[in-house]
């Protein structure tokens, strides 16, 4: 917090996970780092996470995701209606939820295409499979098997909801292994992190070490 306040950056990129975000935003505000002067862009926070925040701490800051609830798509409106009918109007839908929903449908289409639910056969068939999900028409890349999806930027309103302020005009091909490392180096780095974190994809907190 002190380093950020002293540097006076144009913006802050936040990649923190979990409860540490609460302390992070609180300390930014305590040091006079405001959204108006130095907006923060978070790439891991979801609209559901914002429920636990005092809206004053995050209003005016930004989130990056593939999905936000206010997406104007018939598929999104239908999905929101189903979720709220089952779990209540208070339930907040997130990027991860829509990705899981689309993923099941993509698996089903790939299994039908393969003529078998066998994982090896489904993997062979999944390339090029598409599904109109809540966030977009998702397409599985035939080469890397990652989903083509659009990026979106959302600005947090004073009430804690999110307004979409920018988005890709169409789905974007995933780049899972940036050129800063070879594919082999990326695989090694990720597996090393996973093993060092005790078989989890999140670094353990002090109490877990």
């Amino acid at each position: 917090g002190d380093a950020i306040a002293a540097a006076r950056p144009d913006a802050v990129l936040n990649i923190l996970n979990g409860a540490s975000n609460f302390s992070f935003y609180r300390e930014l505000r305590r040091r006079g780092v405001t959204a108006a002067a130095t907006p923060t862009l978070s790439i891991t926070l979801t609209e559901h996470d914002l429920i636990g925040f005092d809206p004053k701490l995050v209003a005016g800051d930004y989130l990056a995701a593939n999905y936000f609830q206010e997406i104007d798509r018939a598929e999104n409106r239908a999905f929101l209606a189903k979720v709220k009918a089952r779990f209540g109007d208070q339930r907040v839908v997130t990027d991860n939820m829509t990705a899981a929903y689309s993923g099941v449908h993509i698996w089903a289409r790939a299994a039908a295409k393969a003529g078998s639910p066998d994982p090896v056969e489904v993997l062979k068939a999944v390339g090029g499979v598409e599904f109109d999900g809540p966030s977009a028409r998702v397409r599985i890349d035939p080469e890397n098997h990652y989903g083509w999806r659009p990026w979106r930027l959302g600005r947090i309103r004073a009430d804690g909801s999110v307004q979409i302020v920018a988005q890709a005009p169409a789905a974007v091909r995933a780049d899972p292994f940036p050129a800063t490392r070879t594919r082999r180096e990326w695989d090694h780095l990720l597996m090393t992190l996973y093993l060092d974190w005790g078989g989890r994809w999140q670094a353990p907190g002090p109490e877990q070490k």
Side-chain angles (χ1 to χ4, degrees):
D2 289 333
I4 293 174
R8 301 179 66 184
D10 293 329
V12 176
L13 176 62
N14 173 28
I15 60 173
L16 294 173
N17 274 307
S20 54
N21 277 286
F22 296 100
S23 299
F24 175 70
Y25 278 95
R26 185 177 61 247
E27 292 305 310
L28 285 181
R29 300 301 178 253
R30 193 169 70 84
R31 289 166 171 78
V33 180
T34 65
T38 309
T40 296
L41 171 64
S42 296
I43 63 173
T44 60
L45 285 179
T46 69
E47 289 178 273
H48 180 269
D49 295 323
L50 296 178
I51 295 174
F53 281 84
D54 178 348
K56 294 177 183 177
L57 284 179
V58 292
D61 281 317
Y62 296 84
L63 305 181
N66 299 117
Y67 173 86
F68 294 112
Q69 291 185 112
E70 72 167 29
I71 291 173
D72 185 17
R73 281 175 58 82
E75 295 84 358
N76 182 47
R77 291 190 290 274
F79 184 67
L80 285 170
K82 290 178 182 178
V83 171
K84 293 181 182 298
R86 180 163 184 176
F87 300 106
D89 289 339
Q90 78 287 348
R91 181 57 59 97
V92 176
V93 174
T94 67
D95 199 342
N96 294 337
M97 293 167 66
T98 62
Y101 174 78
S102 296
V104 171
H105 282 275
I106 287 170
W107 174 88
R109 292 186 177 199
K113 179 181 174 183
S116 168
D118 179 81
V120 174
E121 298 305 315
V122 171
L123 184 61
K124 292 177 183 177
V126 75
V129 171
E130 299 183 356
F131 173 69
D132 277 309
S135 67
R137 184 170 184 83
V138 182
R139 178 175 183 267
I140 302 302
D141 192 278
E143 294 181 15
N144 60 35
H145 287 172
Y146 280 76
W148 287 56
R149 301 177 70 192
W151 56 262
R152 293 181 171 93
L153 294 180
R155 186 174 185 271
I156 305 170
R157 299 184 178 98
D159 64 359
S161 64
V162 176
Q163 174 192 11
I164 297 172
V165 295
Q167 59 186 324
V172 178
R173 186 175 191 259
D175 184 11
F177 304 104
T180 52
R181 291 181 172 87
T182 66
R183 168 67 183 271
R184 184 175 181 180
E185 289 170 337
W186 277 114
D187 286 339
H188 177 73
L189 172 64
L190 293 172
M191 186 53 62
T192 299
L193 290 174
Y194 181 73
L195 294 174
D196 287 348
W197 293 343
R200 294 183 296 268
W201 285 114
Q202 181 173 337
E207 70 283 355
Q208 297 173 299
K209 293 181 180 179

